[in-house]
Amino acid sequence: MSDNALRNTIIIGSGPAGLTAAIYAARARLEPLVLAGTTPGGQLTKTSEVENFPGFAEGILGPKLMDAMIEQAKCCGAELEWESAEKIERDGKNFAVTIGGGKVLKSRTIIFATGAAPRFMQAPGELEYQPPKGSGVTYCAVCDGNFYRNMPVIVVGGGDSAMEEAIYLSNLCKEVTIVHRREGLRASKVMVERARGRKNIRWELNQVVDEILGDGKKVTGVRLKSTQDGKTKKLEIKGVFSAIGHIPTTGVLKGLVDLDEDGYIKADERQCTNVPGLFAAGDCHDRRYRQAVTAAGMGCKAALEMERYLAEQH
Ligand code: NAP
């Protein structure tokens, strides 16, 4: 399709939400264009084995799963460009999307599925021991907890996510140490009580991760630093589960769409935003579940609603 043509839909993002939307939109013969970004495949390309995506009894590597989704979207007829949306504006009832080099694409609808990125601790070793470079640093207990069965691990953070991750891991791991930078916990009382009730959960309050230690491939421990007196100590652990919040990738929508106070897109149960024709799916909208399978489900809903919206416009 030529660059000047008015498209039916542009899907922004190429994780499970965006690619599922692309598969549905392509099968509806709507000729979707996916702006796949510079790292196609989203967060799953940074995990190792995925064991909880239905259909893969023996698990599948995250990058392999995403390659398969990209291939499927292409086979169904979706067009993919390795570009990011730099600006999105309303153009009457339609949308104008600016990509690299100032090129402007026009579309009747947008499905926004750019995901969210875990907030990093910024500790030395954090990048080195993340897949695919190394192993031991992760941001999702449900995804990766199983690889740390009967091992000692830490969970970093004092919010509900950290409590939830720690409780989940306490069923699998030998010992879970919660590392939090303050004495007070941001998490709800009920979650804290539940975590406190687990015998194999330890607490290291007023501590931050000063450095993640390892053998060059795998994590072997962490050095913690007191936020009160600066003293350091080492813990021998095998896994670091960071749960210090996520940052939705929605900067480009500021001023166009209603976002909540943390930048997540507000959308209803049909994935509709407050802007007619603009739909949101996956982690850029969902702060609660953040699973590949829930993101894919939202991508499907967004595409079906987009199709219905287009039919109503004609
Ligand atoms: P959050 O509530 O923002 O908590 C983030 C935690 O990480 C805080 O304890 C914060 O410390 C700490 N933190 C932030 N930056 C840090 C840094 N650079 N170094 C060390 N620690 C840092 O995030 P969340 O736990 O992901 O929860 C997000 C939202 O989802 C919340 O509204 C939560 O209630 C909700 N949620 C609910 C459930 C549930 O109900 N089951 C489960 C998960 C999430 P400080 O406290 O010192 O700022």
Side-chain angles (χ1 to χ4, degrees):
M1 195 178 282
S2 87
D3 285 348
N4 299 327
L6 177 62
R7 294 171 181 273
N8 285 317
T9 194
I10 294 180
I11 297 165
I12 303 173
S14 59
L19 292 171
T20 305
I23 291 165
Y24 274 77
R27 295 191 77 245
R29 303 286 178 260
L30 293 172
E31 299 178 304
L33 170 68
V34 180
L35 296 181
T38 43
T39 46
Q43 283 190 70
L44 272 191
T45 55
K46 299 212 167 101
T47 43
S48 42
E49 195 85 6
V50 179
E51 290 181 335
N52 54 10
F53 198 87
F56 300 95
E58 286 172 11
I60 180 166
L61 288 172
K64 208 170 164 192
L65 177 60
M66 296 323 298
D67 283 348
M69 284 193 206
I70 289 172
E71 202 47 44
Q72 189 177 358
K74 283 184 183 167
C75 284
C76 290
E79 194 185 332
L80 270 80
E81 277 196 32
W82 313 126
E83 289 277 358
S84 304
E86 291 178 357
K87 194 156 78 173
I88 304 175
E89 293 165 298
R90 282 235 84 159
D91 177 18
K93 272 183 152 187
N94 302 321
F95 297 91
V97 180
T98 307
I99 58 170
K103 202 157 95 177
V104 178
L105 306 173
K106 302 209 164 173
S107 182
R108 293 188 172 93
T109 66
I110 302 273
I111 296 178
F112 202 82
T114 50
R119 183 175 288 128
F120 284 179
M121 295 170 284
Q122 315 277 4
E126 182 170 16
L127 297 180
E128 191 182 344
Y129 292 109
Q130 267 178 47
K133 270 189 178 172
S135 72
V137 176
T138 157
Y139 301 85
C140 176
V142 177
C143 317
D144 297 329
N146 213 19
F147 307 121
Y148 298 88
R149 271 184 185 271
N150 303 318
M151 296 180 193
V153 300
I154 64 165
V155 171
V156 185
D160 280 326
S161 293
M163 298 306 117
E164 200 168 63
E165 305 260 296
I167 294 163
Y168 180 85
L169 290 167
S170 70
N171 294 321
L172 303 172
C173 302
K174 188 175 170 195
E175 186 175 71
V176 180
T177 303
I178 297 177
V179 176
H180 179 43
R181 63 185 175 184
R182 295 189 291 131
E183 188 79 34
L185 296 157
R186 190 180 288 271
S188 53
K189 272 195 178 148
V190 60
M191 297 294 282
V192 175
E193 277 167 16
R194 251 178 238 163
R196 289 209 187 277
R198 297 292 170 116
K199 286 204 175 81
N200 62 341
I201 293 185
R202 293 178 63 243
W203 300 79
E204 288 284 358
L205 300 178
N206 302 309
Q207 300 283 340
V208 287
V209 174
D210 193 40
E211 185 172 356
I212 295 163
L213 310 166
D215 61 10
K217 282 189 175 166
K218 286 184 183 162
V219 167
T220 55
V222 280
R223 189 172 60 239
L224 302 184
K225 185 175 178 185
S226 164
T227 51
Q228 297 199 311
D229 58 17
K231 281 190 184 155
T232 60
K233 59 177 157 189
K234 281 187 189 171
L235 293 185
E236 279 184 22
I237 47 98
K238 301 286 186 197
V240 178
F241 288 80
S242 178
I244 62 170
H246 279 75
I247 303 170
T249 317
T250 55
V252 77
L253 291 182
K254 266 187 201 146
L256 177 68
V257 179
D258 282 352
L259 306 175
D260 74 9
E261 64 283 4
D262 294 323
Y264 288 89
I265 304 168
K266 290 186 182 176
D268 64 16
E269 72 285 355
R270 294 186 296 129
Q271 312 306 136
C272 302
T273 68
N274 65 313
V275 177
L278 200 152
F279 304 84
D283 290 13
C284 59
H285 152 63
D286 163 42
R287 63 160 80 225
R288 191 173 177 85
Y289 299 105
R290 294 191 225 120
Q291 300 300 303
V293 71
T294 50
M298 282 182 249
C300 160
K301 281 161 66 188
L304 293 174
E305 291 299 336
M306 176 274 293
E307 191 183 347
R308 193 166 298 174
Y309 170 87
L310 284 176
E312 283 166 4
Q313 300 298 305
H314 285 108

